[in-house]
Amino acid sequence: MPQYAGVPSSDEYSTDTDRPRDGQAALRRIIESYAGPGADLRALRRVVDLCREVQDAIEDDYCREKIRAIAEYSAELLSQAEHRARGPLSGIDFLRQQIRGALELLQSRLYSLERGRRFGQQFAHAGFGAIHAAKR
């Protein structure tokens, strides 16, 4: 797979959420650096690749839903020269707002998954896994 600046290679990941978290951060940097107006097909290609990588790296329906939303809004933002205004917001501001919101929700979910995984490991190492299994 292509290597992007600021995104570690696959052998540098230590947890299940490292790759998605790094992909999420790279997506945020791409969206924040978009100067607009106008299409940026190179950035769009990078966003599509990153979304695919993040989606392949995480098995969580909620995360995948947010990644799809990021991909769709990013495609609209980065592929068109002009963007339709939505209410008081310009088209670019609206799309960025939607992408930022989805990125924040993705980041929060990844944090929750990581905390749950770590707590589950601590719980199992403390012997509670065996106690819980014995109660069944």
Side-chain angles (χ1 to χ4, degrees):
M1 289 202 184
Q3 182 65 29
Y4 299 107
V7 179
S9 63
S10 59
D11 58 344
E12 296 178 39
Y13 290 93
S14 60
T15 68
D16 295 343
T17 57
D18 283 349
R19 172 172 269 156
R21 191 176 26 247
D22 289 344
Q24 181 268 343
L27 286 164
R28 182 178 301 279
R29 285 190 301 272
I30 292 168
I31 297 305
E32 295 301 326
S33 69
Y34 173 68
D40 187 343
L41 299 181
R42 182 172 176 250
L44 176 59
R45 188 172 34 256
R46 289 174 51 208
V47 165
V48 169
D49 289 344
L50 284 166
C51 285
R52 188 174 295 127
E53 287 180 25
V54 171
Q55 198 164 32
D56 289 346
I58 194 84
E59 293 185 19
D60 182 78
D61 290 338
Y62 182 82
C63 287
R64 288 182 171 173
E65 176 185 321
K66 296 305 161 202
I67 294 163
R68 276 191 298 274
I70 292 164
E72 289 173 10
Y73 285 121
S74 295
E76 187 175 346
L77 177 69
L78 299 170
S79 68
Q80 298 177 11
E82 293 191 29
H83 304 89
R84 181 176 53 91
R86 303 319 201 282
L89 292 177
S90 72
I92 290 176
D93 289 340
F94 172 81
L95 293 168
R96 276 193 173 140
Q97 183 181 54
Q98 297 303 307
I99 295 165
R100 285 181 188 131
L103 285 167
E104 287 176 19
L105 291 170
L106 176 61
Q107 181 180 16
S108 176
R109 178 65 173 190
L110 291 171
Y111 175 79
S112 295
L113 291 171
E114 178 66 16
R115 296 297 299 163
R117 188 183 67 77
R118 286 185 182 175
F119 179 74
Q121 285 178 346
Q122 291 171 353
F123 197 68
H125 289 308
F128 293 110
I131 292 170
H132 181 68
K135 288 183 177 183
R136 288 185 176 182

